[in-house]
């Protein structure tokens, strides 16, 4: 029974993913990229960041003075158009506030005004694209296994427990979550560079520990087919070897 249920969940997920991908591409109204809007909130500034790549959407909000993570959510997106409105429908894979709001799907009114992305959501956001920047590791990656690669079992799309890394236009974000229980385990992100086998992260938000903001982490990377071999020391200074697989 369990195997049948898992196959049903997987088949449903894959069909939903295929539908969202085809719909998003066919009705594409949004230019891929990283969009940002910074709003004043009393004495602080809240950074609203939207990441869009192919059929995937991520929204994150955080403060940087003082550092404070607010929330993140994301998943597969499609566009629905009517005569009067364009809606972005997002089937969420993760939601850091799920225990409070139980939200698994979004419907957001949107439009592009020149290069700017306008969202009518919990408030009116006008997000501007950051400069495009192409690097070796751009794309979506899922954590596969600890290295070295010795044909051990891997975590992949069929697993509900995922750690996603999203890298685009010099920004990165990792998110750890479970698509069945909707348990959210954490996220962090900021800017990154990848050049000549050296991968560097500059942390701008971190859900587990705001004091980590401002830190720089340096690693080595090696691309082998669709695998990213990631080595160095973690934030605790301990040696690590991770293998990430390109999400297609």
């Amino acid at each position: 029974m369990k195997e049948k249920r898992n196959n049903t969940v997987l088949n449903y997920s894959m069909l939903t993913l295929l539908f969202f991908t085809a719909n998003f591409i066919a009705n594409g109204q949004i230019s891929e990229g990283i969009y940002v809007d910074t709003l004043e909130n009393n004495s602080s500034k809240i950074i609203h960041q939207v990441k869009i790549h192919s059929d995937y959407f991520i929204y994150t909000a955080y403060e940087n003075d003082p550092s404070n993570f607010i929330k993140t959510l994301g998943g597969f997106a499609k566009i629905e158009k009517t005569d009067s409105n364009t809606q972005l429908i997002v089937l969420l894979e993760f939601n850091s506030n799920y225990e409070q709001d139980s939200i698994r799907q979004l419907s957001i009114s949107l439009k592009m005004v020149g290069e700017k992305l306008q969202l009518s959501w919990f408030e009116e956001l006008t997000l501007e694209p950051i400069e495009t920047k192409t690097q070796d590791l751009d794309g979506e990656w899922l954590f596969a296994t600890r290295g070295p690669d010795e044909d051990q079992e891997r975590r992949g799309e069929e697993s509900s427990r995922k750690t996603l890394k999203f890298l685009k236009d010099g920004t990165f974000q990792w998110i750890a979550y479970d698509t069945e229980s909707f348990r959210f385990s954490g996220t962090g992100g900021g800017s990154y560079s990848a050049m000549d086998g050296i991968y560097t992260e500059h942390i701008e938000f971190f859900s587990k520990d705001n004091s980590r903001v401002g830190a720089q982490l340096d690693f080595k990377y090696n691309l082998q087919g669709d695998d990213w071999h990631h080595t160095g020391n973690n934030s605790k200074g301990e040696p690590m070897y991770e293998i990430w697989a390109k999400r297609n």
Side-chain angles (χ1 to χ4, degrees):
M1 269 310 274
K2 184 177 181 181
E3 182 179 354
K4 184 176 180 181
R5 178 179 178 275
N6 288 340
N7 287 337
T8 301
V9 170
L10 177 58
N11 290 337
Y12 172 79
S13 299
M14 292 306 295
L15 286 171
T16 303
L17 170 56
L18 289 171
F19 168 72
F20 268 61
T21 302
N23 186 285
F24 195 82
I25 292 170
N27 298 286
Q29 298 290 315
I30 309 174
S31 299
E32 290 188 351
I34 310 299
Y35 295 84
V36 177
D37 190 6
T38 302
L39 300 179
E40 297 278 352
N41 181 27
N42 297 324
S43 60
S44 64
K45 292 182 180 180
I46 298 180
I47 298 170
H48 300 269
Q49 185 185 76
V50 167
K51 299 179 172 78
I52 298 172
H53 176 250
S54 185
D55 64 328
Y56 211 80
F57 169 96
I58 296 176
Y59 166 80
T60 304
Y62 60 97
E63 297 170 305
N64 62 4
D65 188 20
S67 300
N68 179 43
F69 171 78
I70 299 174
K71 67 177 178 178
T72 191
L73 44 78
F76 298 104
K78 68 173 181 174
I79 285 177
E80 290 185 352
K81 293 186 66 177
T82 66
D83 292 337
S84 60
N85 196 11
T86 299
Q87 292 277 325
L88 179 69
I89 310 299
V90 185
L91 184 66
L92 295 177
E93 282 202 305
F94 60 88
N95 174 2
S96 61
N97 283 1
Y98 182 73
E99 290 188 359
Q100 288 75 45
D101 60 30
S102 301
I103 293 174
R104 289 186 179 231
Q105 182 170 313
L106 304 175
S107 298
I108 308 169
S109 295
L110 67 88
K111 62 180 176 179
M112 294 294 297
V113 180
E115 294 185 339
K116 296 180 181 180
L117 175 64
Q118 291 187 346
L119 300 180
S120 298
W121 193 5
F122 54 92
E123 61 183 309
E124 298 292 324
L125 298 175
T126 300
L127 302 110
E128 298 190 16
I130 69 172
E131 182 181 358
T132 58
K133 183 178 183 180
T134 302
Q135 299 187 83
D136 278 351
L137 298 174
D138 288 348
E140 298 164 34
W141 303 82
L142 288 175
F143 176 78
T145 186
R146 303 286 177 189
D149 189 358
E150 297 175 341
D151 295 324
Q152 64 267 41
E153 185 176 351
R154 291 181 167 217
R155 255 200 277 158
E157 198 67 61
E158 70 282 356
S159 173
S160 67
R161 181 168 159 255
K162 292 178 171 65
T163 303
L164 171 69
K165 267 199 176 183
F166 185 109
L167 294 93
K168 186 170 178 59
D169 294 337
T171 70
F172 82 95
Q173 183 174 353
W174 62 266
I175 314 103
Y177 56 96
D178 190 295
T179 55
E180 285 190 16
S181 66
F182 247 63
R183 181 175 181 270
F184 176 82
S185 299
T187 189
S191 61
Y192 89 95
S193 63
M195 184 181 299
D196 299 327
I198 303 299
Y199 170 75
T200 302
E201 294 180 346
H202 298 270
I203 299 175
E204 297 176 9
F205 60 88
F206 189 38
S207 64
K208 293 183 176 182
D209 184 357
N210 288 315
S211 70
R212 294 295 298 159
V213 172
Q216 174 179 309
L217 302 175
D218 297 310
F219 305 92
K220 293 180 180 179
Y221 74 90
N222 179 23
L223 291 173
Q224 298 181 24
D226 286 337
D227 286 349
W228 161 15
H229 291 248
H230 179 71
T231 58
N233 293 326
N234 62 21
S235 58
K236 297 179 181 179
E238 302 166 339
M240 52 165 280
Y241 184 167
E242 298 175 342
I243 299 174
W244 296 75
K246 198 68 173 283
R247 191 180 206 185
N248 298 313

